[in-house]
Amino acid sequence: QHVGRLLKSKLPRTKQILYNYCIGHPDSSVLLYPYGTMGSYVNHAREANVKLRWNEDEGNMNGYHHPDWLKEDSATVLEHKPGLMLELVATRDINEGDEVLLDYGSEWAKAWVNHVETWQSKVAERRGKGNEYIYPHVLNQDPIIRIQSEQEKNPYPSNVDVCCYHLHEFSTTSNPVEARIVIRDGKKSTEKGRAWKEGALYGANASYIRHCEVLERKEVMSNGKEIEYLYTVLLEADKDQPQNSYDRLIFDVPRKGIKFVDLPYQSDQHLEFAFRHEINVPDDVWPSAWMDLKKKDGGKRWPWQKK
């Protein structure tokens, strides 16, 4: 049974960023994703310089475009593999260096205006609930990293992860295994690890980044003038490349070797009120055979859209 676009999906709305790049019509359950290389660079403007039309060069498409599908009902179209082509056609001269602009439709424009007007209030509401989103680059400006025991009392925001740059392969000469006294969980113990070493930007000696637990922090004098903080960290085990425990315990990690990053699906574009709306195609372009939601349920559309 045909249940319409997105209704088959069990993913939370906050994961459906792809939706913003899709093309559709408010009265149709068909939603198309354009996978051409340049389509995602075309931005919105009411005074556009391009428009959409279905491919008209049928003789040279070699099966990439099936105009007969435009006459099929929505349920049948959704059973097909990719095989439709929309073209961006200039409506006026576009000079070199000009931005290519498409009108995303009045409903998209209204949704965007509403998003901009309500964004700050929704951010404030989230903050009031004690779940404020903090950008990683803000935390990356902090000169001091909280160690694990400090994070238990004063945790970092739930959207970020603490990671450490490290060498993918260790050298027995430049950073050999050594034993040091480490304080973990309030207890001292002698453990084996390796001293941190900065890697190259690229190649076999490049640095990789991985989740880490910050165990210790110590003060040292840098150049005999300024105080610098060095950290002992425990890297998360690499499932793809198992390592000994002493390859995961890293000593003397400088501040630049530790970085805050967004956890998967936790960046600002994944917030529950982040903008989500498909690009709308005009009535005279969208096939009438696909208009299966028109006047359905008294004009009600999708649960997340207001009538």
Side-chain angles (χ1 to χ4, degrees):
Q1 182 181 0
H2 173 58
V3 294
R5 60 179 177 182
L6 293 183
L7 296 187
K8 293 180 180 179
S9 172
K10 301 299 182 182
L11 292 175
R13 178 171 179 263
T14 54
K15 291 185 179 181
Q16 295 170 342
I17 298 178
L18 192 69
Y19 187 37
N20 287 355
Y21 297 90
C22 290
I23 295 174
H25 189 282
D27 295 328
S28 173
S29 62
V30 177
L31 197 64
L32 303 177
Y33 175 68
Y35 56 91
T37 55
M38 302 301 293
S40 58
Y41 293 100
V42 181
N43 289 321
H44 164 74
R46 297 300 289 176
E47 297 181 0
N49 53 19
V50 296
K51 66 178 182 179
L52 287 170
R53 77 177 183 192
W54 295 105
N55 169 66
E56 297 179 353
D57 190 12
E58 300 173 15
N60 296 321
M61 288 300 99
N62 298 321
Y64 287 105
H65 181 65
H66 299 81
D68 53 307
W69 293 5
L70 305 179
K71 299 178 181 180
E72 296 178 346
D73 61 65
S74 56
T76 304
V77 168
L78 292 174
E79 297 300 324
H80 292 309
K81 295 181 180 179
L84 292 170
M85 294 191 70
L86 276 164
E87 300 173 334
L88 286 168
V89 181
T91 57
R92 54 184 170 85
D93 291 342
I94 302 176
N95 298 319
E96 182 178 354
D98 288 350
E99 186 174 8
V100 179
L101 300 168
L102 174 71
D103 185 354
Y104 286 5
S106 59
E107 291 214 7
W108 186 97
K110 291 177 183 177
W112 176 252
V113 170
N114 178 70
H115 169 73
V116 173
E117 291 177 347
T118 60
W119 172 264
Q120 292 298 335
S121 62
K122 290 178 179 178
V123 169
E125 181 181 353
R126 200 173 197 267
R127 184 186 303 118
K129 294 179 180 179
N131 192 23
E132 182 179 9
Y133 174 83
I134 301 295
Y135 287 93
H137 73 265
V138 174
L139 295 173
N140 284 324
Q141 297 174 10
D142 291 345
I144 300 176
I145 301 293
R146 301 170 200 158
I147 63 176
Q148 206 64 24
S149 59
E150 293 171 338
Q151 292 182 39
E152 292 176 1
K153 299 177 181 178
N154 185 19
Y156 284 113
S158 59
N159 62 282
V160 299
D161 192 13
V162 184
C163 296
C164 179
Y165 287 101
H166 68 97
L167 292 176
H168 188 60
E169 295 182 0
F170 297 100
S171 169
T172 56
T173 55
S174 62
N175 55 345
V177 176
E178 56 182 285
R180 295 192 190 183
I181 296 177
V182 177
I183 301 177
R184 192 190 301 197
D185 298 326
K187 300 178 180 179
K188 290 184 178 181
S189 62
T190 301
E191 299 191 34
K192 293 181 178 180
R194 297 179 187 270
W196 185 84
K197 182 176 175 60
E198 186 170 8
L201 292 176
Y202 306 101
N205 296 320
S207 291
Y208 291 73
I209 190 168
R210 197 190 307 176
H211 167 77
C212 68
E213 295 181 12
V214 184
L215 304 179
E216 291 182 317
R217 178 181 62 242
K218 64 179 181 181
E219 293 184 3
V220 297
M221 294 300 294
S222 177
N223 300 322
K225 298 180 180 179
E226 298 180 355
I227 295 177
E228 180 183 2
Y229 295 97
L230 298 179
Y231 300 86
T232 299
V233 307
L234 181 65
L235 298 175
E236 182 180 45
D238 191 337
K239 297 178 182 179
D240 298 326
Q241 196 173 32
Q243 294 176 317
N244 298 314
S245 59
Y246 53 74
D247 285 336
R248 295 170 50 211
L249 190 63
I250 310 298
F251 306 122
D252 299 337
V253 181
R255 176 63 184 87
K256 66 179 181 180
I258 300 174
K259 184 178 182 179
F260 292 93
V261 300
D262 274 309
L263 286 165
Y265 301 111
Q266 296 296 317
S267 69
D268 60 344
Q269 62 184 341
H270 292 94
L271 292 174
E272 62 273 15
F273 45 84
F275 184 73
R276 295 290 184 273
H277 204 287
E278 81 275 23
I279 298 170
N280 293 141
V281 176
D283 293 351
D284 59 347
V285 177
W286 201 254
S288 59
W290 297 358
M291 301 286 197
D292 57 339
L293 300 181
K294 194 171 184 180
K295 297 182 181 179
K296 187 176 182 180
D297 297 327
K300 183 180 179 181
R301 293 168 182 167
W302 297 105
W304 59 86
Q305 293 177 325
K306 294 183 179 179
K307 181 179 175 182

